Amino acid sequence: NNKALANYQAGNFEESKADYLKALDVLNKLELDQFPEKKLVETIILTNMGLVYATLNDHQTAISNYENAQKIIEAGYLNSRLSEKQQRLSAVYNGFGTSYESLGDIAKANDYYLKALKAEREIGDKSGEGITLNSIARLMAKRGNFRGAELMY
C-alpha cells in the first residue's frame, strides 16, 4: 500500500494501480480473525484505487471501487470510531463527486459532494470541508452560478 501511494505521488499511475491490486490480493488471502483491521485497510485501498483510476480517466472503474468501499463502510465492518467511519465516507463521496463531475453528471457530483460535506461537518473536519466547498463552488461555476460560486470561496 505504501509503495502504491509512493508511485501515485511520483506520477507512476500504472505502477500504482498494479501495486494496489497486489496489496488487495494479499489482503484478500487473510482471514478477518487474523487481521482485525482488514476491512479498514480494504476500504482505504479501494478508495485509493478509485483515485488512481480517476487519474487515469477510467471513471467507471473508479466508481466501481468507490461503490465497493462504500458497501464495506455502510455494512458496519469498520471496528472504529464514528469519526473514522465519517472520514472514510467523506473520501469515498468526494471520489464519487470527482468522477461524476468528470463524466459530466453535475447533479450527481453535487449530491455526492453534499454528502461528503455533511460527513466532514459531523466530525469537524475543517480541511476536508474547505476542499469540498471548493468542489461545490466549481460545480456552481460550471452551471453559470458565478455569484454563488464566489460566495463559496
Side-chain angles (χ1 to χ4, degrees), residues 53-109:
Y53 282 107
T55 302
L56 292 170
N57 230 11
D58 184 353
H59 294 286
Q60 292 302 332
T61 305
I63 289 168
S64 176
N65 278 280
Y66 297 135
E67 286 170 343
N68 290 332
Q70 181 182 11
K71 287 176 190 171
I72 293 168
I73 297 165
E74 291 179 348
Y77 284 112
L78 301 188
N79 298 324
S80 55
R81 305 177 313 276
L82 174 65
S83 61
E84 178 73 30
K85 180 180 176 185
Q86 294 304 92
Q87 189 177 33
R88 294 285 124 230
L89 279 172
S90 168
V92 169
Y93 292 151
N94 272 305
F96 276 125
T98 300
S99 284
Y100 282 115
E101 181 179 354
S102 294
L103 292 171
D105 193 338
I106 302 303
K108 210 170 213 179

Side-chain angles (χ1 to χ4, degrees), residues 2 7 15 18 34 39 44 64 71 78 82 89 92 109 116-117:
N2 290 338
N7 273 320
E15 288 177 40
Q34 292 175 297
K39 291 297 183 180
I44 293 168
S64 176
K71 287 176 190 171
L78 301 188
L82 174 65
L89 279 172
V92 169
L117 186 61

